[in-house]
Amino acid sequence: MGPVRRPVAWVVAVVLFAEAFGVVALNWFLGEVVHRQRMSLAGLDPNVMSNSSKAGGLVFGLYFALCGLVALLVAVRGRRPAGFGRVLLISAAVAHGLLGAFAWGLVGWRAFLFMVLVLGLIVLLLMTYDREEGTAGEVPGGGAWDKGGPGFEADPGSGSAPGPANQADHGSEAPRPLTPPAEARTP
């Protein structure tokens, strides 16, 4: 799945940047409509409603832009998101799931489909970078190591050979790696 990683990260970055711009523009437009029409909801001040709409749009726009920046860094570096960036992308996926659920009832199935598509892209980005190259027991140069294989020793000071019989003598102590096999060493 290696060749799919970077294009997915680029697509997620572009979509999140476009979504950030769209959220800011939509909320700014709605704030201006409320301000110019002097609309009021249950006696609330129209200026407060207008400013709140604009501020909320800017906050969510910056949030989606920050998530887009994380996806862009993933695409450029070719490494999985870690720490705060990973948390941001997971929270963006959750937000799109919730927005999709609300969009179905309030806007329609097309908005729901868009939110689910973005949710799927973010999850795909997180999942394709979730695994490192190779599996847990493999060495990048080839050959798999197992607990009793070459390059392992049950207890370095005991002078005994590794194996299932000696592992029982040492309790739950796991074998320790010494050096990788010759075919796995890199020059």
Side-chain angles (χ1 to χ4, degrees), residues 86-174:
R86 186 170 180 83
V87 171
L88 268 177
L89 288 176
I90 291 171
S91 70
V94 171
H96 279 88
L98 292 172
L99 288 173
F102 289 124
W104 180 273
L106 297 175
V107 182
W109 66 271
R110 290 182 184 102
F112 170 78
L113 189 63
F114 174 75
M115 289 296 162
V116 169
L117 179 68
V118 176
L119 167 67
L121 284 171
I122 294 171
V123 170
L124 183 62
L125 170 68
L126 290 168
M127 296 302 291
T128 55
Y129 280 95
D130 201 24
R131 290 188 176 192
E132 297 296 325
E133 296 297 322
T135 58
E138 289 185 10
V139 177
W145 295 7
D146 57 348
K147 292 183 180 179
F152 281 85
E153 183 175 275
D155 188 8
S158 70
S160 61
N166 284 336
Q167 289 177 1
D169 297 337
H170 296 290
S172 63
E173 202 174 316

Side-chain angles (χ1 to χ4, degrees), residues 11-183:
V11 168
V12 169
V14 168
V15 166
L16 286 174
F17 283 133
E19 193 172 12
F21 177 76
V23 165
V24 170
L26 177 66
N27 280 300
W28 198 271
F29 173 74
L30 291 175
E32 282 298 313
V33 168
V34 168
H35 179 70
R36 290 184 184 181
Q37 299 268 329
R38 307 299 295 165
M39 293 180 188
S40 178
L41 181 65
L44 292 174
D45 184 20
N47 288 330
V48 171
M49 290 174 49
S50 173
N51 292 335
S52 298
S53 175
K54 292 175 183 178
L58 286 174
V59 167
F60 277 106
L62 288 174
Y63 167 70
F64 286 134
L66 188 59
C67 293
L69 180 65
V70 170
L72 182 66
L73 289 174
V74 168
V76 169
R77 293 179 181 167
R79 293 189 326 226
R80 65 184 253 170
F84 185 66
R86 186 170 180 83
V87 171
L88 268 177
L89 288 176
I90 291 171
S91 70
V94 171
H96 279 88
L98 292 172
L99 288 173
F102 289 124
W104 180 273
L106 297 175
V107 182
W109 66 271
R110 290 182 184 102
F112 170 78
L113 189 63
F114 174 75
M115 289 296 162
V116 169
L117 179 68
V118 176
L119 167 67
L121 284 171
I122 294 171
V123 170
L124 183 62
L125 170 68
L126 290 168
M127 296 302 291
T128 55
Y129 280 95
D130 201 24
R131 290 188 176 192
E132 297 296 325
E133 296 297 322
T135 58
E138 289 185 10
V139 177
W145 295 7
D146 57 348
K147 292 183 180 179
F152 281 85
E153 183 175 275
D155 188 8
S158 70
S160 61
N166 284 336
Q167 289 177 1
D169 297 337
H170 296 290
S172 63
E173 202 174 316
R176 299 180 191 142
L178 294 176
T179 58
E183 70 269 11

